[in-house]
Amino acid sequence: DIEVLFLELATLCKAVICCRVSPLQKALVVKLVKRRRKAILLAIGDGANDVSMIQAAHVGVGISGQEGLQAARSADFAIAQFRYLRKLLLVHGAWSYHRLSKMILYSFYKNITLYITQFWYALFNVFSGQTVYESWSITFYTVFFTALPPFAIGVFDQFLNARSLDRYPEMYKMGQRGVFFNVKAFWGWAINAFYHSVILFFLGTVMIFNDIESDGLIGGHWVYGVTIYTAVLTTVLLKAALITNMWTKWTVVAIPGSLALWFIFLPIYALIAPKLRTSTEYDGIVSHIYPNVKFWLAIIMLPVLCMTRDYGYKFLKRMYFTQPYHIVQEIQKFNIPDYRPRMERFKKAVHKVRLLQRLRRTRGYAFSQNEGGQEKIIRAYDTTVQKPSGY
């Protein structure tokens, strides 16, 4: 009962100072809030007596200072000074939350898009177990061809730059409210993947199925599978390009480079794998794919059709359901001047005024400020002027 009363009283306050508490009591306070409240707790300390508190919180930050490195070694993050906590939370914290949210959702999306197309194909072969894609192509889909885009998004993407995040601390609240990662966002990405798989498979089937070539023969099962596979790969890579906010050289390597890797890999694999008896499905397939006009139409039209809905949704969301970070992105893009008081300039001005006030309070004078007598004393020590009589 006392714990509950203490917690209710403490949560009504903006700040609570616990004086003369032991390391165990620090940890118990953190565990009390952690157990009774649905909140993410951060504990920060600089000494060995803060280790138990840091380990009890969800996120621990240690300061490597004069009291040693025990707190820094026991924490999730280590900083040199307490003032660095602002950048750690507002900038790197916001970046990390946004990147991880987008990376996780995109990883689910790209896998659902590919494997649901196999489910649609199972409806045609009466669930016989026959796959529409070659086995090694399925393996390399996650290992090589779509491995770099999540990495580039999760490491290098920035929805706002560091200066904007530091200037607008309100952006940090999006992580607290779960704007980018929640149940609604997950099912939105999953439904979008189902929608794309329907377009890619069924429209792709209409375009490439029973395709009669110039010699009167059809391409066959694996030509059909490679066409759908290439359209799926192009779609998920275009989706990665659409959700990327900042393009770097690594993003270019990850997204267009992955598509180029597939087009380089396919003829080499189709030539070497049958000779090594590793896989014979792609034997002679290149001559049936690259000269085929329907193949190129399928891998261009189907991804564009899928991305049209996504691009339209992104436009409507930004124009008519605007989020606060959309406004800050526009300010950042067009370099709109911020007429609010600059906090850093204000702090510097206050620091300068206080410094001058301290100097005035502590400044002493060697001579009296009275007009009488001061001039004589000064002139007494002036060697260029004749000294007054009596000295």
Side-chain angles (χ1 to χ4, degrees):
D1 295 337
I2 297 177
E3 285 186 350
V4 175
L5 182 62
F6 168 73
L7 181 62
E8 291 178 354
L9 178 62
T11 52
L12 294 176
C13 304
K14 291 185 177 181
V16 178
I17 301 176
C18 300
C19 302
R20 309 294 296 176
V21 294
S22 64
L24 179 60
Q25 289 174 325
K26 293 181 181 180
L28 290 176
V29 172
V30 174
K31 290 180 179 178
L32 174 62
V33 182
K34 188 177 179 180
R35 187 175 62 253
R36 297 282 185 174
R37 291 288 187 270
K38 293 182 179 180
I40 304 298
L41 301 183
L42 182 145
I44 182 170
D46 61 350
N49 57 344
D50 300 319
V51 171
S52 57
M53 175 187 66
I54 290 173
Q55 293 178 343
H58 292 100
V59 180
V61 178
I63 301 176
S64 56
Q66 298 178 354
E67 298 190 26
L69 299 175
Q70 290 87 348
R73 290 172 179 172
S74 303
D76 302 303
F77 302 94
I79 56 179
Q81 298 180 20
F82 185 82
R83 62 189 179 93
Y84 295 156
L85 182 65
R86 175 185 176 92
K87 188 173 183 179
L88 178 65
L89 292 179
L90 299 185
V91 178
H92 295 286
W95 278 348
S96 179
Y97 168 71
H98 179 263
R99 289 166 177 170
L100 291 176
S101 301
K102 191 180 292 185
M103 182 187 69
I104 293 172
L105 294 172
Y106 176 76
S107 297
F108 277 104
Y109 159 80
K110 69 182 183 64
N111 291 324
I112 292 174
T113 303
L114 177 72
Y115 294 110
I116 292 300
T117 55
Q118 292 206 96
F119 172 76
W120 303 132
Y121 182 72
L123 300 177
F124 284 80
N125 59 30
V126 201
F127 295 92
S128 63
Q130 174 66 40
T131 60
V132 66
Y133 309 124
E134 191 262 342
S135 58
W136 283 107
S137 298
I138 298 175
T139 303
F140 292 152
Y141 177 81
T142 303
V143 177
F144 293 117
F145 305 130
T146 60
L148 292 180
F151 178 79
I153 292 171
V155 176
F156 301 107
D157 193 37
Q158 297 179 8
F159 74 109
L160 290 171
N161 58 28
R163 185 178 179 182
S164 297
L165 290 172
D166 184 72
R167 184 181 298 175
Y168 302 97
E170 297 84 359
M171 298 298 101
Y172 183 75
K173 295 181 180 179
M174 293 189 299
Q176 297 175 323
R177 297 195 301 264
V179 174
F180 296 117
F181 190 77
N182 49 53
V183 177
K184 182 180 178 180
F186 171 78
W187 283 111
W189 279 77
I191 294 172
N192 191 32
F194 273 91
Y195 168 75
H196 287 175
S197 67
V198 169
I199 292 179
L200 292 168
F201 180 79
F202 290 102
L203 292 184
T205 301
V206 171
M207 294 181 66
I208 205 71
F209 198 70
N210 290 330
D211 179 36
I212 301 176
E213 299 181 0
S214 58
D215 56 0
L217 301 177
I218 61 174
H221 172 75
W222 298 116
V223 172
Y224 166 69
V226 168
T227 304
I228 302 298
Y229 184 90
T230 307
V232 170
L233 181 60
T234 306
T235 301
V236 298
L237 292 177
L238 285 177
K239 181 66 174 180
L242 184 63
I243 64 175
T244 299
N245 293 290
M246 189 182 75
W247 282 76
T248 63
K249 60 180 180 180
W250 306 112
T251 311
V252 175
V253 171
I255 299 177
S258 297
L259 186 61
L261 179 64
W262 162 247
F263 281 105
I264 295 173
F265 166 82
L266 180 59
I268 296 175
Y269 180 72
L271 179 64
I272 296 177
K275 294 181 179 180
L276 298 177
R277 298 186 182 277
T278 304
S279 176
T280 59
E281 287 86 347
Y282 287 172
D283 188 13
I285 198 174
V286 177
S287 60
H288 294 277
I289 291 178
Y290 287 164
N292 194 339
V293 178
K294 290 187 177 181
F295 168 78
W296 296 105
L297 287 176
I299 67 173
I300 294 174
M301 293 179 60
L302 295 179
V304 170
L305 185 60
C306 292
M307 288 300 106
T308 301
R309 191 213 68 88
D310 291 22
Y311 184 81
Y313 172 76
K314 187 174 182 179
F315 173 80
L316 291 175
K317 185 177 180 181
R318 180 175 289 271
M319 294 298 296
Y320 301 104
F321 303 95
T322 307
Q323 295 288 335
Y325 73 94
H326 291 149
I327 300 174
V328 180
Q329 284 178 343
E330 297 294 325
I331 294 174
Q332 175 183 303
K333 179 180 179 180
F334 296 105
N335 197 21
I336 300 175
D338 186 5
Y339 295 102
R340 300 184 309 169
R342 301 297 179 92
M343 186 59 65
E344 56 271 13
R345 295 182 182 178
F346 178 73
K347 289 181 178 179
K348 290 180 181 179
V350 171
H351 177 72
K352 187 176 181 180
V353 170
R354 289 177 179 175
L355 182 61
L356 292 174
Q357 290 176 350
R358 286 196 297 267
L359 290 175
R360 289 174 180 175
R361 285 197 301 265
T362 59
R363 180 177 294 171
Y365 298 92
F367 309 106
S368 172
Q369 297 300 311
N370 297 328
E371 294 182 1
Q374 181 178 353
E375 182 180 356
K376 294 182 179 181
I377 296 175
I378 295 175
R379 293 184 63 185
Y381 289 90
D382 190 354
T383 58
T384 62
V385 180
Q386 184 178 1
K387 295 181 180 181
S389 60
Y391 287 91

